[in-house]
Amino acid sequence: MTISRQTITVLTLLLLVGYAVMGLEQTANRETLPNKVTVTYWSGWTGDEAETQRKVIRDFNNSQDKIFVKFLSISGLRSKALLSINGGMPPDIFHTEETDIASFAEFAGMSQARGAEQFLQRDQRAEETDIASFADANALEDLLPMATRDGIKRSDYIPIYWDLLSYDGKLCGMPMTPVSTAMHYNRKFLPPNVQNASQAPKTIEELDALVDKISKKRPDGSLELAGFLPGEPGWWKWAWGYFFGGRLYDEKTQKLTINSPENIRAFDWVGSYAKRFGVSQVQTFQSGFGNFASPQNAFMGNKVASVLQGVWMANFIHLFNPKMDWFAAPFPIPSDRPDLEGANVVGIDAILIPKGAKHVDAAWEFIRYQQTQKAMEKLCAGQSKHSPLAKVSEEFFQLHSNKEIRLFDRLARSKNPITAPKLGIWPQVADELSNALTEINLGKKSSSQALTEVQNRMQPLLDKYLIYVGKKKP
Amino acid sequence: MKSPRTHFRKVESINGYLFALPYIFGFLALTAYPVLYSFYLSFTNYSVLKSPQWVGIENYRELFTDDVFHTAIKNTFIYMLTAVPLGTVMAILLALLLNTKVRGMAFYRTLFFIPSLVPLIATAMLWMWVFNGEYGLLNDGLRRIGVTAPNWMGDPAWAKWTLVIMAVWGTGNAMVIYLAGLQDIPQNLYEAADLDGASPWKKTKAVTLPMLSPVIMFNGIMGMIGGLQQFALPYVMFPGGAPARSTLFVSMYLFDNAFNNQRMGFASAIGWVMFIITLILTLTALKVSDKFVVYDRS
């Protein structure tokens, strides 16, 4: 019998298709466990942070026999979550990061210079916006009914962390590890009368005076030590206005308030640092800073005497400059605005259930477990952060690796928390503000001019967006 | 009755189509459909998570009044108009040098080709150290000879030029194509020129460059398209087109709008405008090249 060439071709193709289908099926089989619901959980955490989450997941998986949570560390989480939701195949849980420290660690080996650092910061900025744009698209499950049913309420948390995840009357996610921020000072550069938090500058004016006193220049005019640089690390460029009592958005009128007098005053102050040290001197000085997670970090590498940083900083100091003698204190406020006491940037990592998730109830079971005091403290202590819960055990504070943990807890409860506005076009607004700040620092534009330009450029875009998501009439 | 020959042809053509099927499917599903769909999207407001909303030519109207897009276009053209000619001149000069008969030529050829093999991210990391304002190799050298060194990556006046320098450094691929083109030039033309007593410069001008012109045109057009699509290096080295958008290229603006700002419709409009600009430039280059490119070797 002879077989025609055509038959061989068809058979070959069939074989290939069959092989591919079998392969897919095998992959699918590997992912399921008999008699258990497998909940897939995507997270941007890597390294130690992921390991801490895995420990809590292991506890949960061992605590019952119905649900198996499968944790996956994923890079570029936001765009992958976006596309998977759009494609109708999202994970059961995903986690968004307010402050993507995991990415910093992930890229620590490759980011040998300043630009890569900025590259990572960009990722971080992109993550921050998740809630509003996802919620506007109705892409997230409202967790409020489930939380209410199980007796989980706002008063169980430090209020700002619950509020950050509430949007349009819905609860878009549940709090995970939180962020609060404080000024970190390197004692060895400070004068004898500024050696602890109670002696640290309380006002912007006192900070400026301290910076003038301790900053050092070399004989050729280049900077050797900066008492403080607003551009280091440059993560919360949008937030400066809030330290001066400004706001970026008025939810009631749906108007941006970018060029408000408070914001202009704040950007003038930030710009004054470029003038104080010299534009090119600052540029050259900053280009010599290593990446965040390295001994060449500007603060840990003894190039700046103080830095605005989050609760995680202690961990990095311990890793990269363990001998550093440091303390933390609230960031100063303008002397004419005592009402802003305790102002600090806060944020929260959140755990979310996307619309289209296949195992919503099982996913909620894990989330509920994660919200218990024991599991939350294990996660937060493991990641060197404070707890988002209102009730914190004394043991948590006593065993915590950050000696200033009580300060960060107190700052989280401050009456002046600074949070990014919940805007669907936040990445663009943040980008524009960052660009405006560069132009101000370079002396190309005045604060008033640069911020007015951002205002005029972003408001029409916001109007368009609000019409698109049905929150404003055309 | 069908002749065996006709039957054979039919079977052959069916086999041919069957084997081409994966490609045809891939082309239709993964290239043609997305391209056409992006044309539709360019007339919509589309955030990926919500359905597209028809807005007519609004995206195009916004593009033409968008200062940031104009800055991106300007930066892209400045880069393309400097990096491509400089890269071409450098590649031809290197190819001419590497076409000479000296000992160890294989080593030199490898040496000059290596930069084009370095992955883009590694290239970016390497040059970020070279251009570092405080500790960079380049500035250290400049300071030693008493030159005031600029802050290459932090100063808007210099940032773009770092990318041009890097493009010239990585010109190995074009160089290899020129080298192949040079080796393809018939020796008898040089022999005839020798008989006429032509100087080396005269030979380069009258024989080498005209005979190399089709290759120059090919590389020129590919370089131009590559220049207009410049993305990875500035995206890694200068996020957001920093400092002060001096390195913001069109493809970066497109990517940011599509994947960070979730403005897929607007990004699609940017893509189509760039496609039309590239098409016009390529057609113009082909038309103009009629006068300069020598195809006939007879």
Side-chain angles (χ1 to χ4, degrees):
Chain A
M1 193 180 100
T2 54
I3 303 170
S4 73
R5 245 203 249 180
Q6 199 175 349
T7 317
I8 293 174
T9 312
V10 172
L11 281 173
T12 313
L13 283 171
L14 280 175
L15 207 68
L16 282 172
V17 171
Y19 187 70
V21 170
M22 269 160 49
L24 282 177
E25 194 154 321
Q26 272 183 0
T27 313
N29 283 341
R30 268 206 302 274
E31 289 178 355
T32 52
L33 288 172
N35 309 322
K36 279 194 181 185
V37 175
T38 301
V39 169
T40 43
Y41 172 5
W42 290 3
S43 167
W45 280 328
T46 57
D48 287 346
E49 292 189 319
E51 194 43 45
T52 312
Q53 176 68 97
R54 280 198 190 95
K55 279 179 190 162
V56 177
I57 290 172
R58 271 197 290 273
D59 292 347
F60 172 74
N61 286 342
N62 293 334
S63 71
Q64 41 73 48
D65 55 7
K66 292 195 174 66
I67 300 162
F68 177 77
V69 176
K70 187 178 170 187
F71 179 84
L72 291 165
S73 248
I74 287 191
S75 62
L77 181 66
R78 184 173 175 270
S79 45
K80 281 173 190 158
L82 197 77
L83 295 174
S84 68
I85 294 171
N86 185 252
M89 292 182 76
D92 296 307
I93 299 174
F94 76 94
H95 145 231
T96 67
E97 298 170 62
E98 258 285 324
T99 41
D100 202 358
I101 290 305
S103 289
F104 289 106
E106 185 183 353
F107 282 85
M110 87 174 217
S111 55
Q112 291 293 317
R114 199 76 195 141
E117 187 88 336
Q118 291 162 352
F119 177 59
L120 305 177
Q121 285 159 23
R122 180 190 198 83
D123 262 5
Q124 171 203 5
R125 189 262 298 137
E127 299 288 354
E128 280 175 0
T129 180
D130 286 347
I131 306 291
S133 57
F134 277 75
D136 279 338
N138 200 22
L140 302 172
E141 287 287 345
D142 179 10
L143 303 182
L144 193 58
M146 288 180 266
T148 310
R149 184 193 66 202
D150 291 334
I152 297 175
K153 51 197 181 302
R154 183 173 181 265
S155 59
D156 294 336
Y157 295 84
I158 295 174
I160 187 63
Y161 296 131
W162 179 278
D163 295 344
L164 272 168
L165 299 172
S166 302
Y167 189 71
D168 284 348
K170 293 176 182 170
L171 189 60
C172 302
M174 293 304 287
M176 294 286 271
T177 50
V179 174
S180 61
T181 48
M183 197 65 154
H184 291 64
Y185 295 91
N186 187 341
R187 268 201 189 93
K188 82 169 176 182
F189 295 124
L190 301 178
N193 61 333
V194 186
Q195 287 293 308
N196 56 51
S198 65
Q199 296 169 330
K202 304 279 181 304
T203 65
I204 293 282
E205 292 76 6
E206 285 172 16
L207 174 68
D208 290 346
L210 177 71
V211 169
D212 286 339
K213 193 172 177 183
I214 62 176
S215 300
K216 284 182 202 157
K217 282 196 170 187
R218 296 189 190 96
D220 64 357
S222 63
L223 260 176
E224 190 181 339
L225 172 78
F228 174 70
L229 268 185
E232 174 57 29
W235 291 350
W236 301 287
K237 288 175 185 164
W238 55 267
W240 292 120
Y242 290 82
F243 284 105
F244 286 75
R247 290 274 176 282
L248 290 171
Y249 181 55
D250 182 348
E251 281 180 37
K252 279 184 196 149
T253 57
Q254 295 184 318
K255 294 280 176 213
L256 294 166
T257 53
I258 291 168
N259 57 347
S260 69
E262 293 88 354
N263 289 338
I264 291 173
R265 184 183 173 196
F267 278 61
D268 273 344
W269 174 73
V270 174
S272 75
Y273 271 73
K275 291 186 193 119
R276 171 179 271 117
F277 295 125
V279 175
S280 67
Q281 278 84 351
V282 172
Q283 276 180 357
T284 308
F285 188 55
Q286 284 189 311
S287 73
F289 299 168
N291 66 315
F292 172 76
S294 80
Q296 289 78 38
N297 171 295
F299 181 63
M300 295 181 283
N302 298 324
K303 293 209 153 203
V304 295
S306 63
V307 70
L308 174 65
Q309 264 295 354
V311 58
W312 52 80
M313 195 61 184
N315 212 19
F316 287 94
I317 294 173
H318 178 69
L319 271 173
F320 297 111
N321 192 354
K323 287 184 182 160
M324 180 190 274
D325 185 11
W326 64 280
F327 67 89
F331 194 82
I333 46 167
S335 57
D336 57 351
R337 293 297 304 265
D339 56 308
L340 296 172
E341 192 193 352
N344 79 106
V345 180
V346 300
I348 187 82
D349 280 19
I351 191 165
L352 322 160
I353 303 182
K355 277 272 165 71
K358 287 180 188 63
H359 309 107
V360 175
D361 290 337
W364 171 254
E365 276 309 303
F366 169 68
I367 292 174
R368 195 165 67 104
Y369 177 84
Q370 178 62 76
Q371 300 303 305
T372 59
Q373 189 179 349
K374 187 181 156 208
M376 190 61 89
E377 288 186 3
K378 187 169 187 174
L379 179 75
C380 295
Q383 296 196 4
S384 303
K385 292 172 186 160
H386 56 282
S387 167
L389 298 174
K391 203 173 145 199
V392 186
S393 71
E394 189 52 32
E395 192 191 11
F396 176 79
F397 285 129
Q398 280 177 1
L399 298 178
H400 204 283
S401 58
N402 187 341
K403 63 181 181 182
E404 300 278 11
I405 193 66
R406 286 178 203 273
L407 169 71
F408 286 101
D409 179 76
R410 209 167 58 241
L411 284 169
R413 296 167 200 263
S414 149
K415 63 180 194 308
N416 288 309
I418 297 173
T419 61
K422 293 171 195 166
L423 276 174
I425 61 159
W426 178 241
Q428 281 150 290
V429 177
D431 244 4
E432 289 288 329
L433 285 169
S434 168
N435 189 58
L437 199 56
T438 311
E439 286 176 326
I440 294 164
N441 280 334
L442 290 170
K444 289 174 103 182
K445 285 175 187 164
S446 69
S447 301
S448 167
Q449 191 188 358
L451 293 181
T452 303
E453 279 178 20
V454 176
Q455 171 78 27
N456 294 342
R457 194 170 137 70
M458 287 296 105
Q459 187 62 50
L461 210 64
L462 176 65
D463 292 339
K464 241 186 236 182
Y465 174 81
L466 291 172
I467 291 167
Y468 175 57
V469 296
K471 286 190 163 177
K472 193 173 186 168
K473 285 186 182 145
Chain B
M1 193 186 137
K2 276 196 283 189
S3 74
R5 198 180 168 79
T6 318
H7 176 70
F8 178 73
R9 275 196 167 174
K10 199 176 159 192
V11 169
E12 281 282 283
S13 58
I14 289 172
N15 281 343
Y17 285 124
L18 276 174
F19 276 107
L21 206 58
Y23 169 76
I24 293 169
F25 172 77
F27 172 75
L28 290 176
L30 304 175
T31 305
Y33 173 70
V35 167
L36 293 175
Y37 193 58
S38 82
F39 186 64
Y40 160 69
L41 286 182
S42 73
F43 296 100
T44 67
N45 205 346
Y46 179 46
S47 73
V48 182
L49 287 169
K50 278 179 83 76
S51 332
Q53 182 188 62
W54 184 263
V55 291
I57 58 163
E58 180 54 32
N59 288 329
Y60 290 95
R61 205 191 337 245
E62 189 184 327
L63 261 189
F64 287 108
T65 55
D66 180 1
D67 291 341
V68 180
F69 179 65
H70 297 162
T71 306
I73 286 265
K74 194 178 101 189
N75 289 338
T76 307
F77 270 82
I78 291 176
Y79 171 80
M80 192 259 289
L81 291 172
T82 48
V84 175
L86 281 174
T88 304
V89 170
M90 183 57 86
I92 294 174
L93 284 177
L94 281 174
L96 285 169
L97 278 174
L98 295 174
N99 198 34
T100 52
K101 293 183 176 65
V102 284
R103 263 184 71 174
M105 187 46 80
F107 171 75
Y108 295 122
R109 285 178 184 169
T110 311
L111 198 70
F112 284 103
F113 186 64
I114 279 176
S116 60
L117 296 176
V118 180
L120 283 177
I121 302 297
T123 303
M125 293 302 150
L126 175 79
W127 282 95
M128 277 154 77
W129 272 121
V130 173
F131 288 124
N132 187 300
E134 182 132 335
Y135 304 118
L137 202 65
L138 185 59
N139 278 5
D140 189 52
L142 288 173
R143 280 191 207 107
R144 276 167 203 266
I145 56 169
V147 177
T148 313
N151 184 7
W152 295 90
M153 291 179 64
D155 187 340
W158 287 100
K160 236 188 320 282
W161 305 108
T162 61
L163 292 164
V164 174
I165 294 170
M166 288 165 69
V168 175
W169 176 75
T171 195
N173 273 326
M175 180 199 77
V176 167
I177 297 173
Y178 286 125
L179 197 56
L182 285 174
Q183 294 183 347
D184 208 25
I185 299 173
Q187 277 304 307
N188 57 1
L189 294 179
Y190 289 109
E191 285 160 10
D194 280 339
L195 286 176
D196 290 342
S199 65
W201 165 240
K202 197 98 182 164
K203 277 193 278 186
T204 306
K205 205 176 136 208
V207 180
T208 310
L209 289 179
M211 294 307 288
L212 205 58
S213 57
V215 185
I216 296 176
M217 191 195 68
F218 170 78
N219 269 346
I221 290 177
M222 295 313 281
M224 184 187 78
I225 294 172
L228 291 172
Q229 292 177 343
Q230 177 67 291
F231 175 74
L233 285 178
Y235 195 78
V236 172
M237 292 175 71
F238 304 100
R245 296 202 168 116
S246 59
T247 56
L248 182 73
F249 292 106
V250 175
S251 47
M252 291 159 76
Y253 193 49
L254 185 156
F255 183 88
D256 273 350
N257 272 297
F259 297 102
N260 284 339
N261 304 344
Q262 286 167 239
R263 299 190 71 201
M264 239 1 133
F266 186 64
S268 297
I270 299 176
W272 275 90
V273 168
M274 276 321 281
F275 170 69
I276 289 162
I277 291 175
T278 311
L279 189 71
I280 291 170
L281 285 177
T282 309
L283 290 176
T284 312
L286 284 170
K287 191 82 191 154
V288 172
S289 69
D290 285 350
K291 287 186 186 164
F292 304 103
V293 177
V294 180
Y295 283 111
D296 189 5
R297 294 181 173 185
S298 59

